[in-house]
Amino acid sequence: MSIIQITDTHILSDPAGTFDGVDTAQTLSTVLTHIRANERPDLVLLTGDLVHEPDQASYIRLHNLLNPVPAPIYAIPGNHDKPVLMRTALGEPVRHERDIAINNWRILLLNSWLEDEHAGVLPATELQWFEARLNEQPDTPTLVALHHPPVSIGSPWMDAMGLHNPEEFFTILDRQPQVAGVIWGHIHQVFESERNGVKLLSCPSTCVQFRPGSHEYAKDELGPGYRRLILQENGTIDSDVIRI
């Protein structure tokens, strides 16, 4: 089963607007054109920062760009989004269910959005929901997605804006052997690690890339990209990053 992750699209309401000199609508369109020509995903995960400024016009522009995608799209909010507006403004092909059963796998989407903050948190209600869902199906291979990184990526300015309560997240995760991978966005760069056999994976942005290991904001010259995840029948994950 093929899953495509795209993230941090940062669409602006103004067609002439840019994010650090990048036309985010154009780069997203280029990424989606490549996906349509080269991939046959079972679903697409859009892991936050869908727009740059959370207004109706930005979400409408994003919706129009996503319309040609020939697969279900599931979206979660990032720190640049407004979750309620996002859900009301984005209809088909975008879906907002957070517990997805597909083939013999399960995908759980977590909301780490924190109002008026660039960092994220999983509140008690979200952690309770997460643990309850995992306890329901302890033998079903599971992929978990959220916007904020639950681990340090070695870049101080970004680490300050990560998930504020990773210990609570991993307290639940470490008791759940069915979880095969955790993916996220937010950091605009590739990060790959592993914890107790669980793959920990980030995804490049479809627009601006951030330089790995930087102490303060620094733009990387790498192109936009996406992550391909192959969820195997035996409960393992194969994954690679495609740059455009």
Side-chain angles (χ1 to χ4, degrees):
M1 178 172 58
S2 174
I3 308 295
I4 296 297
Q5 180 192 6
I6 59 176
T7 197
D8 296 87
T9 50
H10 286 271
I11 299 302
L12 296 105
S13 59
D14 181 2
T18 63
F19 172 20
D20 201 356
V22 173
D23 181 341
T24 61
Q26 180 57 54
T27 54
L28 175 59
S29 179
T30 299
V31 169
L32 294 177
T33 297
H34 181 91
I35 290 171
R36 288 196 298 271
N38 296 278
E39 308 284 357
R40 296 293 181 268
D42 293 283
L43 62 85
V44 174
L45 297 177
L46 181 50
T47 52
D49 282 0
L50 283 60
V51 299
H52 198 60
E53 298 290 345
D55 54 42
Q56 184 84 10
S58 297
Y59 284 116
I60 289 172
R61 286 195 78 207
L62 174 63
H63 183 266
N64 292 338
L65 289 163
L66 294 173
N67 254 330
V69 175
I73 303 170
Y74 292 85
I76 54 176
N79 48 286
H80 279 264
D81 295 301
K82 284 193 175 177
V84 173
L85 178 60
M86 179 188 113
R87 286 191 294 270
T88 57
L90 291 178
E92 292 291 339
V94 181
R95 305 180 184 185
H96 302 283
E97 298 94 333
R98 303 198 298 129
D99 185 349
I100 307 161
I102 181 166
N103 295 350
N104 67 320
W105 277 78
R106 194 179 196 191
I107 303 172
L108 297 178
L109 308 182
L110 300 180
N111 182 357
S112 58
W113 180 83
L114 183 58
E115 188 171 9
D116 297 325
E117 295 284 348
H118 289 298
V121 70
L122 295 172
T125 52
E126 190 74 359
L127 291 166
Q128 290 162 7
W129 179 88
F130 180 44
E131 186 168 29
R133 298 291 80 73
L134 289 172
N135 287 337
E136 286 175 353
Q137 298 183 32
D139 299 319
T140 301
T142 302
L143 174 68
V144 178
L146 70 166
H147 179 67
H148 293 88
V151 294
S152 168
I153 65 163
S155 185
W157 75 280
M158 282 302 305
D159 285 339
M161 298 187 291
L163 187 69
H164 275 342
N165 57 338
E167 298 86 0
E168 294 176 273
F169 172 70
F170 281 116
T171 294
I172 295 170
L173 197 74
D174 289 345
R175 296 196 295 259
Q176 304 287 347
Q178 77 271 36
V179 177
V182 178
I183 62 172
W184 63 85
H186 190 55
I187 64 174
H188 292 234
Q189 62 194 262
V190 175
F191 178 91
E192 298 183 345
S193 185
E194 191 171 293
R195 177 189 172 102
N196 299 331
V198 178
K199 290 183 182 293
L200 305 176
L201 306 170
S202 77
C203 181
S205 167
T206 60
C207 58
V208 177
Q209 309 305 307
F210 299 160
R211 186 180 302 159
S214 59
H215 284 259
E216 56 189 21
Y217 175 79
K219 183 179 175 183
D220 203 333
E221 296 307 314
L222 290 171
Y226 63 93
R227 181 174 285 281
R228 179 199 296 128
L229 301 114
I230 306 300
L231 309 187
Q232 304 286 4
E233 290 186 7
N234 65 0
T236 61
I237 299 173
D238 296 324
S239 183
D240 59 349
V241 167
I242 294 83
R243 296 276 185 180
I244 311 301

